[in-house]
């Protein structure tokens, strides 16, 4: 409890200090969100906002709440991202603890709390910050449902999943991840084929459909608005691939795979240009955690979920311009932080001959993370 409190205090300080001042000014996407929030305060309760290529509504309503209480300011627009960012750290702990162990949960939360990618998104007025929160909460409740079999967890997971589509367009790739995981579960866990084990998935699907129904109906009746941005940035667009689709696909694949520890997003409003997601130490731990997950893929459903989810949620940036793009790839958070956490967890268990490496590293782990 005390370690988690310390992690949340550090996460909160990094996300709240100088909010509205650093980075300076509002990017035009943030300004559009603020203007739509003013319309909400004037009574325009839209399900989907059509300005700026169309945007999902949930974050705009949070900005409206903030601006309504604090007035029109950069601080008010960006403060709406603070609570989702901080809650995502706590939700990551809950999800990782349920999937693995309490130590993996603490390590994952600690890594996410200081990861620049997430810290930055928690300090600016981009709607993408909400998607990692709903992913972490959905995985947490889904893992509890898998473990306990209780329908209330599956219903909560389904409702949270349905609501995730109201956050950011990268959520549209998540059905692919869930379908792949479903096929994995049916293929490797024969018990999942029984009617008793399929019922919880039905509760999940029902809750998701109920939550998603209003937005899905809107999308069916306004496809040009909902899909316009996707068509603009997709590498299937000839203006993006420049007549070399397969070459562009190969190039984007390499860039996306390298975003974790070689070269990240070049766009300053998302990242310190070219800075990878993880520093060299966490990059090595990421590879160790990935190797561990691949080794246990067949017999461990939690490891399979991490691999399938990470591979799938690379697609929104891999299949679009400017790869890697940290907003389009935001569906990787927070589960991507579990890989270095698993790597560190493995390393803490290692003992070579009579030298207690694990105990020495354990004493240094927390200072290294926060430095």
């Amino acid at each position: 409890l005390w370690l988690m409190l310390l992690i949340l205090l550090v996460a909160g300080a990094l996300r709240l200090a100088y909010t509205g001042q650093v980075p300076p000014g509002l990017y035009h996407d943030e300004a559009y969100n603020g203007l739509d929030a003013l319309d909400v305060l004037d009574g325009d309760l839209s399900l989907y906002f059509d300005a700026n290529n169309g945007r999902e509504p949930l974050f705009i309503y949070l900005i409206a709440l903030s601006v309504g209480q604090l007035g029109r300011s950069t601080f008010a627009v960006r403060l709406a991202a603070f609570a989702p960012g901080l809650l995502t750290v706590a939700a990551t702990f809950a999800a990782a603890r349920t999937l693995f162990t309490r130590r993996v949960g603490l390590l994952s939360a600690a890594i996410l709390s200081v990861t620049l990618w997430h810290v930055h998104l928690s300090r600016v007025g981009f709607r993408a910050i909400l998607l990692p929160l709903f992913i972490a909460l959905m995985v947490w409740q889904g893992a509890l449902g898998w473990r306990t079999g209780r329908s209330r967890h599956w219903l909560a997971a389904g409702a949270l999943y349905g609501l995730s589509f109201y956050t950011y367009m990268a959520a549209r790739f998540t059905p692919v991840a869930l379908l792949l995981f479903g096929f994995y579960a049916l293929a490797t866990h024969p018990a999942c084929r029984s009617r008793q084990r399929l019922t919880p998935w039905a509760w999940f699907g029902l809750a998701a459909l109920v939550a998603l129904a209003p937005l899905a109906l809107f999308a069916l009746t306004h496809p040009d608005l909902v899909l316009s941005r996707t068509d603009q940035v997709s590498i299937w667009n000839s203006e993006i691939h420049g007549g070399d689709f397969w070459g562009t696909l190969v190039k984007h694949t390499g860039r996306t795979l390298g975003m974790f520890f070689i070269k990240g997003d070049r766009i300053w409003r998302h990242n310190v240009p070219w800075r990878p997601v993880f520093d060299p130490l966490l990059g090595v731990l990421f590879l160790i955690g990935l190797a561990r997950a691949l080794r246990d893929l067949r017999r461990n459903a939690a490891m399979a979920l991490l691999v399938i989810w990470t591979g799938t949620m690379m697609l929104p940036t891999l299949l679009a311009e400017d790869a890697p793009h940290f907003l389009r790839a935001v569906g990787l958070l927070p589960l991507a932080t579990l890989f270095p956490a698993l790597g560190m967890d493995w390393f803490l268990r290692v003992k070579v001959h009579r030298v207690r490496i694990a105990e020495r590293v354990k004493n240094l782990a927390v200072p290294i993370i926060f430095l």
Side-chain angles (χ1 to χ4, degrees), residues 131 135 161 164-165 168-180 230 233-234 236 308-309 311-320 328-329 331:
L131 183 56
I135 288 172
Y161 177 63
S164 71
F165 287 85
Y168 186 62
M169 62 182 182
R172 299 170 192 175
F173 283 80
T174 57
V176 178
L178 291 183
L179 283 173
L180 290 175
T230 302
V233 302
S234 169
W236 278 281
I308 292 170
W309 191 274
T312 303
M313 296 313 293
M314 288 181 183
L315 295 177
T317 183
L318 190 154
L319 297 177
R328 296 178 192 130

Side-chain angles (χ1 to χ4, degrees), residues 61-268:
Y61 283 98
L62 288 180
I63 294 178
L65 179 64
S66 179
V67 170
Q69 295 297 316
L70 302 174
R72 306 182 185 190
S73 66
T74 302
F75 176 77
V77 170
R78 290 180 170 172
L79 187 63
F82 170 74
L86 188 62
L87 288 173
T88 303
V89 176
T92 298
F93 165 73
R97 179 189 61 181
T98 307
L99 287 173
F100 299 105
T101 64
R102 181 177 289 109
R103 180 163 68 182
V104 173
L106 286 168
L107 290 171
S108 300
I111 292 168
L112 184 66
S113 72
V114 297
T115 297
L116 179 62
W117 183 6
H118 193 259
V119 170
H120 176 69
L121 287 179
S122 304
R123 298 176 54 86
V124 293
F126 295 143
R127 69 193 191 281
I129 185 61
L130 282 177
L131 183 56
L133 173 60
F134 280 87
I135 288 172
L137 291 173
M138 182 267 291
V139 170
W140 170 43
Q141 286 299 304
L144 284 174
W146 180 284
R147 178 175 292 182
T148 65
R150 294 175 180 170
S151 59
R152 68 172 183 266
H153 294 304
W154 287 103
L155 286 168
L160 289 163
Y161 177 63
L163 290 173
S164 71
F165 287 85
Y166 294 79
T167 63
Y168 186 62
M169 62 182 182
R172 299 170 192 175
F173 283 80
T174 57
V176 178
L178 291 183
L179 283 173
L180 290 175
F181 181 73
F183 289 140
Y184 158 84
L186 291 173
T188 61
H189 293 70
C192 292
R193 302 169 196 165
S194 67
R195 182 176 179 180
Q196 183 179 4
R197 293 293 291 180
L198 288 175
T199 301
W201 288 99
W203 287 118
F204 175 92
L206 177 63
L209 287 174
V210 170
L212 180 58
L215 186 60
L217 181 61
F218 181 90
L220 289 173
T221 55
H222 300 81
D224 293 341
L225 174 60
V226 175
L227 300 177
S228 63
R229 184 58 176 165
T230 302
D231 294 336
Q232 290 173 12
V233 302
S234 169
I235 62 171
W236 278 281
N237 187 331
S238 59
E239 295 182 4
I240 304 299
H241 65 66
D244 184 14
F245 171 79
W246 293 108
T248 302
L249 180 62
V250 171
K251 179 174 64 177
H252 281 209
T253 301
R255 289 177 177 176
T256 302
L257 291 173
M259 66 183 283
F260 295 103
F261 42 82
I262 298 175
K263 185 183 290 186
D265 195 333
R266 66 175 181 82
I267 303 173
W268 66 267

